[in-house]
Amino acid sequence: MATTQAIDVVMPQMGVSVSEGTITKWLKQEGESVEADEPLLEISTDKVDTEVPSPGSGVLQQIVVPEGETVDVGTKLAVIAPEGAAEEPAAEEPERPPEPATQAAADESMAHASEGVGDVAPSAPAPERPSAPPPSENGKTFVSPVVARIASEHGVDPNQVQGTGAGGRVTKKDILAFIESGPPAPAEAPPEPAPAEAPEPAPEPAAPPAAAPAPPKPPPPKPEPVAAEPAAGQPGEILEPMNAMRRGIAEHMRRSLDTAAHVTSAIEVDMSKVVAIRAKLKKEYEASYGVNPTYLSFVARATVENLRDYPWINGEIRGDQIVTRNFVNLGFAVELADGKGLIVPVLKNAETLNLLGIAKGVTDLAARARDKKLLPEDVQGGTFTITNPGGYGTFHGTPVISQPQAAILGTYAVVKRPWVVQDEQGEDVIAIRPIMNLTLTYDHRLVDGALAGRFLRDLREKLQSWGQDKY
């Protein structure tokens, strides 16, 4: 439905803990028509990259915030006007002070001038609009929870940071730039002003006032400042600013390593039965449901079943308490375009899903992640995560735990290898088997090595004995 009046497009609230977002791309330009719910722009936060739909139909009359800018939630981004309004931009000009007030101010100014008050220009009366109050309360700069946390982690006083947000507010972009550049170094040049004061005692008090003062001596040349860091743009270098997602990943990974005691254990799994069942189900699943039952789906189904017996591995440390759950919200690491982004959508209540349900859920979440269609709730609430670098042929890794979870499972390439098995007579023989390595990285504050070892042992048993009941 077309709008009958101008609509402001604002930065949406993309989750409870998200206070700002970055404009990554405008999908419409000024003067173009846009329909309600049509994708209007793309934004990036430290949680998710997504498209923002248009709140109404009309013409994109004005883009207020350009691409690349980071602004707070609720900030006005653009204006959508009714059809035809774009051709009449001058109609919005009357937002200036009303003409009668201007004329009255000029008349009053002329009246004062005629009374000999002084040289007052006709436009001298200052506008009545009060200046925006400084973003402070009790002498402290107001900052969002995200900015406050980053400042606290790096020991930075937000009052030292020059804010570029509304009313001088310190944004996440400001605090990160301040941390990267470091606090302003104390000026070492101030000792130089000493020669500048020397001319003061030069004139003797008894000197006649009519005498012209001698021209001051030029100050000595200041030493060339030593470069604190290499000059930007050296030959062979390309500088690329971090986007909001990459900054969020960097902060999250560093915080996880600073928080959890990371340990990784690994195990080898004979995937022969999984390979056979997958070959049987693949055509049926693709033809009937449009999904591919990947090895990841099989591992995920077995993992969810296994987590019922290992609640601490599906739990977390919260303060001085251990949190366990009777549900599994399973996260999957999904690579975005060109390997320059990673997002972990969450399959909620995965314990209620069979193999087909998990395969469909993984396919849907991965597709929406790559198409930037995820909602904030799609990336929140995970209790356990699986990462799958094995799709690229890797056979081992040490993933970083997604806080505040207690563990993360790594799945790797299925590789045919010589394997010792028993034949019908119980004799050991060498056979070729499809082998997958699994790793479990766990927080040793909560999960001990023996518990992690039993978890991997039981997970291997479930995969190696896969049967019809696991569908």
Side-chain angles (χ1 to χ4, degrees):
M1 183 174 64
T3 180
T4 58
Q5 59 183 1
I7 298 176
D8 288 344
V9 181
V10 301
M11 177 63 71
Q13 177 75 53
M14 301 300 293
V16 176
S17 62
V18 177
S19 61
E20 60 187 18
T22 301
I23 311 300
T24 55
K25 185 177 181 181
W26 281 100
L27 304 177
K28 294 286 185 177
Q29 301 303 318
E30 290 184 355
E32 292 185 359
S33 297
V34 60
E35 298 296 328
D37 298 325
E38 181 182 4
L40 181 61
L41 71 153
E42 295 178 358
I43 65 171
S44 176
T45 73
D46 58 359
K47 297 286 187 184
V48 65
D49 279 6
T50 189
E51 293 177 345
V52 176
S54 173
S57 300
V59 174
L60 181 58
Q61 186 178 64
Q62 182 186 15
I63 292 177
V64 179
V65 180
E67 293 178 1
E69 289 293 319
T70 300
V71 295
D72 296 334
V73 168
T75 300
K76 180 178 175 180
L77 305 179
V79 177
I80 295 177
E83 289 287 351
E87 291 86 7
E88 303 174 9
E92 296 198 6
E93 200 61 32
E95 289 207 7
R96 297 180 179 176
E99 191 65 31
T102 303
Q103 185 60 45
D107 294 341
E108 182 181 353
S109 176
M110 293 177 64
H112 281 297
S114 65
E115 294 172 8
V117 173
D119 297 328
V120 181
S123 59
E128 293 288 330
R129 183 185 305 169
S131 59
S136 62
E137 184 177 321
N138 298 329
K140 294 184 178 180
T141 302
F142 172 78
V143 294
S144 68
V146 173
V147 173
R149 173 179 56 75
I150 296 173
S152 176
E153 288 177 355
H154 293 84
V156 174
D157 181 1
N159 292 286
Q160 298 177 345
V161 182
Q162 181 66 39
T164 61
R169 181 179 178 186
V170 177
T171 66
K172 182 178 176 183
K173 182 179 180 182
D174 299 329
I175 193 76
L176 290 172
F178 182 86
I179 292 169
E180 290 175 6
S181 61
E188 297 185 5
E192 292 294 337
E197 294 180 3
E200 274 192 29
E204 293 294 334
K217 293 182 179 180
K222 294 184 179 180
E224 289 293 329
V226 179
E229 57 184 33
Q234 292 184 0
E237 292 183 343
I238 299 175
L239 302 183
E240 179 181 354
M242 279 190 176
N243 60 21
M245 174 173 284
R246 178 50 55 185
R247 289 199 306 268
I249 293 171
E251 293 168 15
H252 189 66
M253 295 298 98
R254 182 67 260 171
R255 187 167 67 254
S256 181
L257 291 173
D258 290 341
T259 301
H262 281 64
V263 180
T264 300
S265 297
I267 202 165
E268 297 171 312
V269 181
D270 182 353
M271 298 286 283
S272 298
K273 289 195 173 182
V274 171
V275 170
I277 293 175
R278 178 176 179 268
K280 175 183 176 182
L281 295 178
K282 186 175 181 180
K283 288 184 179 180
E284 176 189 344
Y285 277 23
E286 289 181 337
S288 301
Y289 309 107
V291 297
N292 177 20
T294 62
Y295 292 123
L296 174 61
S297 301
F298 285 85
V299 174
R301 177 70 184 86
T303 298
V304 170
E305 184 178 337
N306 206 38
L307 285 171
R308 294 174 179 172
D309 300 325
Y310 294 89
W312 279 15
I313 294 179
N314 187 46
E316 68 176 84
I317 292 177
R318 190 177 297 167
D320 59 355
Q321 295 181 318
I322 297 171
V323 180
T324 58
R325 308 171 175 93
N326 59 3
F327 61 89
V328 179
N329 289 342
L330 199 59
F332 297 91
V334 177
E335 180 193 26
L336 301 183
D338 302 325
K340 293 184 178 180
L342 182 74
I343 197 164
V344 184
V346 178
L347 187 61
K348 303 292 177 62
N349 298 113
E351 78 284 353
T352 65
L353 303 174
N354 58 12
L355 177 64
L356 175 59
I358 286 181
K360 292 173 69 174
V362 170
T363 300
D364 172 65
L365 287 171
R368 288 197 286 126
R370 296 188 180 102
D371 293 340
K372 300 183 178 180
K373 301 291 186 182
L374 291 176
L375 301 174
E377 54 266 26
D378 292 328
V379 296
Q380 296 173 351
T383 64
F384 185 87
T385 298
I386 296 179
T387 181
N388 182 38
Y392 301 101
T394 62
F395 64 89
H396 186 74
T398 57
V400 177
I401 301 166
S402 179
Q403 290 298 313
Q405 297 170 24
I408 181 172
L409 184 75
T411 67
Y412 301 92
V414 176
V415 180
K416 291 183 178 180
R417 289 165 47 192
W419 199 248
V420 178
V421 298
Q422 288 186 337
D423 60 15
E424 292 80 1
Q425 288 76 36
E427 298 292 332
D428 289 343
V429 296
I430 296 177
I432 303 299
R433 291 288 186 266
I435 305 300
M436 172 187 279
N437 286 355
L438 298 177
T439 64
L440 182 72
T441 299
Y442 50 95
D443 187 348
H444 209 330
R445 297 178 305 160
L446 177 59
V447 180
D448 296 327
L451 185 66
R454 289 198 299 273
F455 176 86
L456 288 171
R457 177 201 63 193
D458 292 351
L459 178 58
R460 176 178 64 184
E461 178 61 25
K462 285 178 170 59
L463 290 168
Q464 291 187 164
S465 62
W466 197 285
Q468 297 285 341
D469 59 321
K470 302 290 181 65
Y471 288 19

